Amino acid sequence: MSRSGADLALLLLGGFRSLVDAATAELARRGYEDVRPVHDFAMRAIAAGADSASELGRRLSVSKQAAAKTIAVLQEHGYVERDTDLLDARRKRLRVTPLGFEVLRQGEAIFDELRDQWERQIGSEELANLERHLTALVGARPIRLNAPGWIAQDLGEPV
Amino acid sequence: MSRSGADLALLLLGGFRSLVDAATAELARRGYEDVRPVHDFAMRAIAAGADSASELGRRLSVSKQAAAKTIAVLQEHGYVERDTDLLDARRKRLRVTPLGFEVLRQGEAIFDELRDQWERQIGSEELANLERHLTALVGARPIRLNAPGWIAQDLGEPV
DNA sequence: GCAAATTAGACAACAAGGTTGTCCTTGTCC
DNA sequence: GGACAAGGACAACCTTGTTGTCTAATTTGC
């Protein structure tokens, strides 16, 4: 029963949304409401060294204005802070706060737990295979999480 | 090298976006510009029997207002038509036009071609495995394509 | 057979995450 | 020192959603 290409695409999306919706819901259940995948993704990039709005934009393949908006939200939530750069007066240096790191840490734990569930379901070897092949197919192409609007707005049941 | 759960999610998204961006770009190259995945998805549902805005909303797990907006766009493009229902004066019956079916047909062909590429890359058996496992994991849960905003706005290279 | 409840659809206001464009300020380079 | 590049702020707008409210038509229940 060879599936169609469109089915394949839907399947991949379904997998992604399963994980992400579950993770977002669980994060909300733990008290971190209003954390969306975009935020997690952005914080990760900041923590990894994207310490200015422009740089963050570049890393996420998004305009610097869009990055600035995301940063504003993260700042409101207290997940990142901005202070002026002493070396370059144009920049505002970004810093993930302890609270932000806490979210990051918990998010990671949740995702890992979900991955473990999958592993138990189809077997560790098969999951590794799946990841390996997907990696080969997607290649090194940067993944744009962000497109206008989107991703995990309504949440299903908690994990 | 056991990957993290977050990586897995990103990998799935990456796969999806690879396929969809390529398909959208190729469709645009063939002259069907401004066709987005949402449209394809919606037309498929209409063709499959969701012949009113409310019903379409239900099938796509989306509010009927959102469905109505999508329909309005499809109608503008000439991909679907609406005429009044003789049996129920409240309804407007939806119909996919020949042009709409043409898009559907070409979209399917493109997706199948992409799937074939993947098959050649990792082997038919492996791809079947991947699909099988993903199906098991995602389960019968309905997949919501739609979340505010999104999905394939900017396009990479044509196929 | 008629009132009450449901359903279809229209319209409006708003949210989230993007986009472009313009502008000012601060660094960098020759 | 003057031209250009880069960071960031602000504004207007797009797309795809969301609620909420309203009217008209159909069903259901007594």
Side-chain angles (χ1 to χ4, degrees):
Chain A
M1 60 122 213
S2 151
R3 291 170 147 279
S4 88
D7 283 344
L8 176 56
L10 249 13
L11 219 42
L12 291 166
L13 177 62
F16 172 73
R17 288 200 60 115
S18 288
L19 290 178
V20 159
D21 287 359
T24 311
E26 174 63 13
L27 223 36
R29 215 184 53 71
R30 295 191 189 180
Y32 302 99
E33 305 198 17
D34 289 331
V35 179
R36 288 153 189 265
V38 199
H39 301 152
D40 187 273
F41 202 62
M43 274 194 281
R44 243 171 256 281
I46 294 169
D51 71 335
S52 75
S54 297
E55 179 56 26
L56 182 60
R58 261 175 251 126
R59 300 253 189 135
L60 301 182
S61 306
V62 133
S63 65
K64 61 182 178 178
Q65 292 89 334
K69 284 194 200 177
T70 304
I71 291 167
V73 175
L74 288 172
Q75 201 175 3
E76 268 173 39
H77 286 289
Y79 296 148
V80 311
E81 283 178 348
R82 301 191 318 158
D83 34 31
T84 54
D85 189 324
L86 299 175
L87 301 173
D88 187 338
R90 291 171 305 179
R91 294 181 98 121
K92 301 269 174 81
R93 282 190 49 233
L94 297 173
R95 218 160 11 87
V96 177
T97 64
L99 180 60
F101 275 116
E102 182 59 20
V103 173
L104 239 30
R105 209 183 54 71
Q106 297 224 24
E108 216 151 288
I110 292 168
F111 268 120
D112 286 347
E113 166 58 29
L114 288 167
R115 185 181 179 283
D116 285 351
Q117 277 182 28
W118 279 26
E119 208 167 48
R120 284 195 292 280
Q121 220 174 315
I122 68 172
S124 134
E125 203 169 324
E126 293 295 343
L127 185 57
N129 256 336
L130 195 150
E131 288 173 337
R132 194 163 50 79
H133 290 134
L134 230 36
T135 307
L137 293 169
V138 174
R141 176 184 309 115
I143 300 169
R144 284 200 58 195
L145 212 191
N146 305 333
W150 106 282
I151 261 185
Q153 135 150 329
D154 67 307
L155 317 167
E157 287 296 298
V159 167
Chain B
M1 60 119 215
S2 150
R3 291 172 147 280
S4 89
D7 283 344
L8 176 55
L10 248 12
L11 219 42
L12 291 165
L13 177 62
F16 171 74
R17 288 201 59 115
S18 288
L19 290 178
V20 159
D21 287 358
T24 311
E26 174 62 14
L27 223 35
R29 213 183 54 72
R30 294 191 189 180
Y32 301 100
E33 305 198 17
D34 290 330
V35 179
R36 288 152 190 267
V38 199
H39 301 153
D40 186 274
F41 202 62
M43 274 194 280
R44 241 170 257 281
I46 294 168
D51 71 336
S52 73
S54 298
E55 178 56 25
L56 182 60
R58 261 174 252 124
R59 300 255 189 135
L60 301 182
S61 306
V62 133
S63 66
K64 63 181 177 178
Q65 292 89 335
K69 285 191 198 179
T70 304
I71 292 167
V73 174
L74 289 172
Q75 200 175 2
E76 268 173 41
H77 286 289
Y79 296 148
V80 311
E81 283 178 349
R82 300 190 320 159
D83 34 31
T84 54
D85 189 324
L86 299 175
L87 301 173
D88 187 339
R90 293 170 305 177
R91 295 180 98 121
K92 303 269 173 80
R93 281 190 51 233
L94 298 173
R95 219 159 11 86
V96 177
T97 64
L99 180 60
F101 275 115
E102 181 59 21
V103 172
L104 239 30
R105 209 184 52 70
Q106 297 226 22
E108 216 150 288
I110 292 169
F111 268 120
D112 286 348
E113 166 59 29
L114 288 168
R115 185 183 179 284
D116 285 351
Q117 276 182 28
W118 280 26
E119 208 166 47
R120 283 195 292 280
Q121 222 173 316
I122 68 172
S124 137
E125 203 169 323
E126 293 294 342
L127 185 57
N129 257 338
L130 194 151
E131 288 173 338
R132 194 162 49 79
H133 289 133
L134 230 35
T135 306
L137 293 169
V138 174
R141 176 184 310 115
I143 299 171
R144 285 198 57 195
L145 212 192
N146 304 333
W150 106 287
I151 259 181
Q153 136 150 330
D154 67 308
L155 316 167
E157 286 296 298
V159 166

PDB file of all heavy atoms in Angstrom, chain B residues 70-91:
ATOM      1  N   THR B  70     -10.964  30.996   4.024  1.00  0.00           N
ATOM      2  CA  THR B  70     -10.207  30.198   3.064  1.00  0.00           C
ATOM      3  C   THR B  70     -11.014  30.013   1.789  1.00  0.00           C
ATOM      4  O   THR B  70     -10.498  30.149   0.678  1.00  0.00           O
ATOM      5  CB  THR B  70      -9.876  28.826   3.666  1.00  0.00           C
ATOM      6  OG1 THR B  70      -9.176  29.019   4.891  1.00  0.00           O
ATOM      7  CG2 THR B  70      -9.011  28.022   2.714  1.00  0.00           C
ATOM      8  N   ILE B  71     -12.292  29.712   1.966  1.00  0.00           N
ATOM      9  CA  ILE B  71     -13.153  29.519   0.802  1.00  0.00           C
ATOM     10  C   ILE B  71     -13.192  30.781  -0.046  1.00  0.00           C
ATOM     11  O   ILE B  71     -13.126  30.721  -1.277  1.00  0.00           O
ATOM     12  CB  ILE B  71     -14.579  29.137   1.248  1.00  0.00           C
ATOM     13  CG1 ILE B  71     -14.558  27.750   1.880  1.00  0.00           C
ATOM     14  CG2 ILE B  71     -15.540  29.187   0.079  1.00  0.00           C
ATOM     15  CD1 ILE B  71     -15.826  27.402   2.622  1.00  0.00           C
ATOM     16  N   ALA B  72     -13.275  31.925   0.618  1.00  0.00           N
ATOM     17  CA  ALA B  72     -13.317  33.186  -0.120  1.00  0.00           C
ATOM     18  C   ALA B  72     -12.083  33.319  -1.008  1.00  0.00           C
ATOM     19  O   ALA B  72     -12.181  33.711  -2.172  1.00  0.00           O
ATOM     20  CB  ALA B  72     -13.402  34.360   0.852  1.00  0.00           C
ATOM     21  N   VAL B  73     -10.924  32.955  -0.458  1.00  0.00           N
ATOM     22  CA  VAL B  73      -9.701  33.045  -1.242  1.00  0.00           C
ATOM     23  C   VAL B  73      -9.754  32.080  -2.417  1.00  0.00           C
ATOM     24  O   VAL B  73      -9.437  32.436  -3.555  1.00  0.00           O
ATOM     25  CB  VAL B  73      -8.469  32.733  -0.367  1.00  0.00           C
ATOM     26  CG1 VAL B  73      -7.207  32.690  -1.214  1.00  0.00           C
ATOM     27  CG2 VAL B  73      -8.329  33.781   0.729  1.00  0.00           C
ATOM     28  N   LEU B  74     -10.159  30.845  -2.137  1.00  0.00           N
ATOM     29  CA  LEU B  74     -10.225  29.848  -3.202  1.00  0.00           C
ATOM     30  C   LEU B  74     -11.180  30.294  -4.306  1.00  0.00           C
ATOM     31  O   LEU B  74     -10.942  30.050  -5.487  1.00  0.00           O
ATOM     32  CB  LEU B  74     -10.692  28.512  -2.625  1.00  0.00           C
ATOM     33  CG  LEU B  74      -9.683  27.788  -1.734  1.00  0.00           C
ATOM     34  CD1 LEU B  74     -10.321  26.583  -1.072  1.00  0.00           C
ATOM     35  CD2 LEU B  74      -8.468  27.365  -2.553  1.00  0.00           C
ATOM     36  N   GLN B  75     -12.238  30.940  -3.875  1.00  0.00           N
ATOM     37  CA  GLN B  75     -13.224  31.405  -4.845  1.00  0.00           C
ATOM     38  C   GLN B  75     -12.637  32.511  -5.724  1.00  0.00           C
ATOM     39  O   GLN B  75     -12.790  32.489  -6.942  1.00  0.00           O
ATOM     40  CB  GLN B  75     -14.443  31.933  -4.077  1.00  0.00           C
ATOM     41  CG  GLN B  75     -15.697  31.989  -4.921  1.00  0.00           C
ATOM     42  CD  GLN B  75     -16.900  32.401  -4.094  1.00  0.00           C
ATOM     43  OE1 GLN B  75     -16.776  32.673  -2.893  1.00  0.00           O
ATOM     44  NE2 GLN B  75     -18.058  32.451  -4.723  1.00  0.00           N
ATOM     45  N   GLU B  76     -11.934  33.437  -5.087  1.00  0.00           N
ATOM     46  CA  GLU B  76     -11.260  34.494  -5.840  1.00  0.00           C
ATOM     47  C   GLU B  76     -10.340  33.926  -6.903  1.00  0.00           C
ATOM     48  O   GLU B  76     -10.266  34.433  -8.013  1.00  0.00           O
ATOM     49  CB  GLU B  76     -10.392  35.342  -4.904  1.00  0.00           C
ATOM     50  CG  GLU B  76     -11.074  36.556  -4.316  1.00  0.00           C
ATOM     51  CD  GLU B  76     -10.179  37.214  -3.280  1.00  0.00           C
ATOM     52  OE1 GLU B  76      -8.956  37.300  -3.528  1.00  0.00           O
ATOM     53  OE2 GLU B  76     -10.704  37.606  -2.209  1.00  0.00           O
ATOM     54  N   HIS B  77      -9.627  32.889  -6.531  1.00  0.00           N
ATOM     55  CA  HIS B  77      -8.686  32.292  -7.471  1.00  0.00           C
ATOM     56  C   HIS B  77      -9.398  31.443  -8.520  1.00  0.00           C
ATOM     57  O   HIS B  77      -8.761  30.959  -9.448  1.00  0.00           O
ATOM     58  CB  HIS B  77      -7.683  31.418  -6.724  1.00  0.00           C
ATOM     59  CG  HIS B  77      -6.665  32.198  -5.964  1.00  0.00           C
ATOM     60  ND1 HIS B  77      -5.675  32.910  -6.583  1.00  0.00           N
ATOM     61  CD2 HIS B  77      -6.481  32.396  -4.642  1.00  0.00           C
ATOM     62  CE1 HIS B  77      -4.919  33.508  -5.672  1.00  0.00           C
ATOM     63  NE2 HIS B  77      -5.390  33.209  -4.485  1.00  0.00           N
ATOM     64  N   GLY B  78     -10.672  31.218  -8.298  1.00  0.00           N
ATOM     65  CA  GLY B  78     -11.400  30.410  -9.266  1.00  0.00           C
ATOM     66  C   GLY B  78     -11.224  28.918  -9.067  1.00  0.00           C
ATOM     67  O   GLY B  78     -11.449  28.130  -9.989  1.00  0.00           O
ATOM     68  N   TYR B  79     -10.826  28.536  -7.882  1.00  0.00           N
ATOM     69  CA  TYR B  79     -10.598  27.113  -7.624  1.00  0.00           C
ATOM     70  C   TYR B  79     -11.842  26.414  -7.085  1.00  0.00           C
ATOM     71  O   TYR B  79     -11.972  25.194  -7.199  1.00  0.00           O
ATOM     72  CB  TYR B  79      -9.435  26.923  -6.649  1.00  0.00           C
ATOM     73  CG  TYR B  79      -8.106  27.395  -7.195  1.00  0.00           C
ATOM     74  CD1 TYR B  79      -7.130  27.927  -6.359  1.00  0.00           C
ATOM     75  CD2 TYR B  79      -7.830  27.311  -8.562  1.00  0.00           C
ATOM     76  CE1 TYR B  79      -5.910  28.368  -6.870  1.00  0.00           C
ATOM     77  CE2 TYR B  79      -6.621  27.752  -9.069  1.00  0.00           C
ATOM     78  CZ  TYR B  79      -5.665  28.272  -8.220  1.00  0.00           C
ATOM     79  OH  TYR B  79      -4.469  28.699  -8.729  1.00  0.00           O
ATOM     80  N   VAL B  80     -12.706  27.169  -6.459  1.00  0.00           N
ATOM     81  CA  VAL B  80     -13.985  26.590  -6.043  1.00  0.00           C
ATOM     82  C   VAL B  80     -15.106  27.572  -6.377  1.00  0.00           C
ATOM     83  O   VAL B  80     -14.871  28.765  -6.570  1.00  0.00           O
ATOM     84  CB  VAL B  80     -14.054  26.262  -4.526  1.00  0.00           C
ATOM     85  CG1 VAL B  80     -12.839  25.481  -4.059  1.00  0.00           C
ATOM     86  CG2 VAL B  80     -14.232  27.506  -3.701  1.00  0.00           C
ATOM     87  N   GLU B  81     -16.307  27.031  -6.466  1.00  0.00           N
ATOM     88  CA  GLU B  81     -17.473  27.864  -6.709  1.00  0.00           C
ATOM     89  C   GLU B  81     -18.509  27.574  -5.642  1.00  0.00           C
ATOM     90  O   GLU B  81     -18.501  26.511  -5.028  1.00  0.00           O
ATOM     91  CB  GLU B  81     -18.051  27.580  -8.098  1.00  0.00           C
ATOM     92  CG  GLU B  81     -17.261  28.227  -9.210  1.00  0.00           C
ATOM     93  CD  GLU B  81     -17.809  27.890 -10.585  1.00  0.00           C
ATOM     94  OE1 GLU B  81     -18.672  26.985 -10.678  1.00  0.00           O
ATOM     95  OE2 GLU B  81     -17.366  28.511 -11.545  1.00  0.00           O
ATOM     96  N   ARG B  82     -19.375  28.539  -5.451  1.00  0.00           N
ATOM     97  CA  ARG B  82     -20.438  28.351  -4.469  1.00  0.00           C
ATOM     98  C   ARG B  82     -21.772  28.652  -5.140  1.00  0.00           C
ATOM     99  O   ARG B  82     -21.950  29.706  -5.742  1.00  0.00           O
ATOM    100  CB  ARG B  82     -20.286  29.326  -3.301  1.00  0.00           C
ATOM    101  CG  ARG B  82     -18.976  29.162  -2.566  1.00  0.00           C
ATOM    102  CD  ARG B  82     -18.969  29.959  -1.280  1.00  0.00           C
ATOM    103  NE  ARG B  82     -19.587  31.258  -1.415  1.00  0.00           N
ATOM    104  CZ  ARG B  82     -20.065  31.949  -0.378  1.00  0.00           C
ATOM    105  NH1 ARG B  82     -20.014  31.455   0.833  1.00  0.00           N
ATOM    106  NH2 ARG B  82     -20.607  33.135  -0.563  1.00  0.00           N
ATOM    107  N   ASP B  83     -22.711  27.756  -5.038  1.00  0.00           N
ATOM    108  CA  ASP B  83     -24.051  28.119  -5.474  1.00  0.00           C
ATOM    109  C   ASP B  83     -25.045  27.693  -4.410  1.00  0.00           C
ATOM    110  O   ASP B  83     -24.785  26.819  -3.577  1.00  0.00           O
ATOM    111  CB  ASP B  83     -24.386  27.540  -6.838  1.00  0.00           C
ATOM    112  CG  ASP B  83     -23.742  26.204  -7.041  1.00  0.00           C
ATOM    113  OD1 ASP B  83     -23.564  25.472  -6.041  1.00  0.00           O
ATOM    114  OD2 ASP B  83     -23.416  25.881  -8.195  1.00  0.00           O
ATOM    115  N   THR B  84     -26.171  28.332  -4.465  1.00  0.00           N
ATOM    116  CA  THR B  84     -27.150  28.121  -3.408  1.00  0.00           C
ATOM    117  C   THR B  84     -27.710  26.710  -3.481  1.00  0.00           C
ATOM    118  O   THR B  84     -27.919  26.153  -4.555  1.00  0.00           O
ATOM    119  CB  THR B  84     -28.307  29.125  -3.545  1.00  0.00           C
ATOM    120  OG1 THR B  84     -28.821  29.017  -4.866  1.00  0.00           O
ATOM    121  CG2 THR B  84     -27.802  30.530  -3.317  1.00  0.00           C
ATOM    122  N   ASP B  85     -27.952  26.190  -2.314  1.00  0.00           N
ATOM    123  CA  ASP B  85     -28.495  24.841  -2.196  1.00  0.00           C
ATOM    124  C   ASP B  85     -30.022  24.914  -2.330  1.00  0.00           C
ATOM    125  O   ASP B  85     -30.669  25.714  -1.675  1.00  0.00           O
ATOM    126  CB  ASP B  85     -28.115  24.295  -0.820  1.00  0.00           C
ATOM    127  CG  ASP B  85     -28.446  22.825  -0.681  1.00  0.00           C
ATOM    128  OD1 ASP B  85     -29.473  22.395  -1.238  1.00  0.00           O
ATOM    129  OD2 ASP B  85     -27.683  22.118  -0.017  1.00  0.00           O
ATOM    130  N   LEU B  86     -30.547  24.064  -3.205  1.00  0.00           N
ATOM    131  CA  LEU B  86     -31.997  24.125  -3.443  1.00  0.00           C
ATOM    132  C   LEU B  86     -32.782  23.520  -2.280  1.00  0.00           C
ATOM    133  O   LEU B  86     -33.921  23.877  -2.041  1.00  0.00           O
ATOM    134  CB  LEU B  86     -32.334  23.372  -4.736  1.00  0.00           C
ATOM    135  CG  LEU B  86     -31.666  23.966  -5.986  1.00  0.00           C
ATOM    136  CD1 LEU B  86     -31.958  23.084  -7.194  1.00  0.00           C
ATOM    137  CD2 LEU B  86     -32.151  25.390  -6.220  1.00  0.00           C
ATOM    138  N   LEU B  87     -32.149  22.612  -1.599  1.00  0.00           N
ATOM    139  CA  LEU B  87     -32.856  21.920  -0.524  1.00  0.00           C
ATOM    140  C   LEU B  87     -32.761  22.662   0.810  1.00  0.00           C
ATOM    141  O   LEU B  87     -33.623  22.505   1.671  1.00  0.00           O
ATOM    142  CB  LEU B  87     -32.271  20.512  -0.346  1.00  0.00           C
ATOM    143  CG  LEU B  87     -32.347  19.644  -1.586  1.00  0.00           C
ATOM    144  CD1 LEU B  87     -31.590  18.333  -1.368  1.00  0.00           C
ATOM    145  CD2 LEU B  87     -33.808  19.373  -1.940  1.00  0.00           C
ATOM    146  N   ASP B  88     -31.732  23.413   0.967  1.00  0.00           N
ATOM    147  CA  ASP B  88     -31.529  24.116   2.234  1.00  0.00           C
ATOM    148  C   ASP B  88     -31.048  25.528   1.928  1.00  0.00           C
ATOM    149  O   ASP B  88     -29.898  25.734   1.561  1.00  0.00           O
ATOM    150  CB  ASP B  88     -30.495  23.358   3.077  1.00  0.00           C
ATOM    151  CG  ASP B  88     -30.361  23.951   4.465  1.00  0.00           C
ATOM    152  OD1 ASP B  88     -30.738  25.128   4.650  1.00  0.00           O
ATOM    153  OD2 ASP B  88     -29.892  23.239   5.363  1.00  0.00           O
ATOM    154  N   ALA B  89     -31.954  26.469   2.103  1.00  0.00           N
ATOM    155  CA  ALA B  89     -31.658  27.832   1.661  1.00  0.00           C
ATOM    156  C   ALA B  89     -30.590  28.513   2.498  1.00  0.00           C
ATOM    157  O   ALA B  89     -30.086  29.576   2.142  1.00  0.00           O
ATOM    158  CB  ALA B  89     -32.933  28.673   1.668  1.00  0.00           C
ATOM    159  N   ARG B  90     -30.215  27.908   3.620  1.00  0.00           N
ATOM    160  CA  ARG B  90     -29.147  28.521   4.409  1.00  0.00           C
ATOM    161  C   ARG B  90     -27.798  28.252   3.768  1.00  0.00           C
ATOM    162  O   ARG B  90     -26.896  29.077   3.787  1.00  0.00           O
ATOM    163  CB  ARG B  90     -29.138  27.936   5.831  1.00  0.00           C
ATOM    164  CG  ARG B  90     -30.322  28.277   6.657  1.00  0.00           C
ATOM    165  CD  ARG B  90     -30.318  27.457   7.933  1.00  0.00           C
ATOM    166  NE  ARG B  90     -30.249  26.018   7.643  1.00  0.00           N
ATOM    167  CZ  ARG B  90     -30.171  25.091   8.581  1.00  0.00           C
ATOM    168  NH1 ARG B  90     -30.120  25.435   9.861  1.00  0.00           N
ATOM    169  NH2 ARG B  90     -30.150  23.817   8.266  1.00  0.00           N
ATOM    170  N   ARG B  91     -27.669  27.068   3.246  1.00  0.00           N
ATOM    171  CA  ARG B  91     -26.369  26.627   2.737  1.00  0.00           C
ATOM    172  C   ARG B  91     -25.984  27.245   1.404  1.00  0.00           C
ATOM    173  O   ARG B  91     -26.834  27.628   0.609  1.00  0.00           O
ATOM    174  CB  ARG B  91     -26.392  25.116   2.511  1.00  0.00           C
ATOM    175  CG  ARG B  91     -26.551  24.312   3.737  1.00  0.00           C
ATOM    176  CD  ARG B  91     -26.556  22.842   3.376  1.00  0.00           C
ATOM    177  NE  ARG B  91     -25.246  22.274   3.577  1.00  0.00           N
ATOM    178  CZ  ARG B  91     -25.011  21.249   4.414  1.00  0.00           C
ATOM    179  NH1 ARG B  91     -25.999  20.725   5.100  1.00  0.00           N
ATOM    180  NH2 ARG B  91     -23.809  20.781   4.554  1.00  0.00           N
TER     181      ARG B  91
END
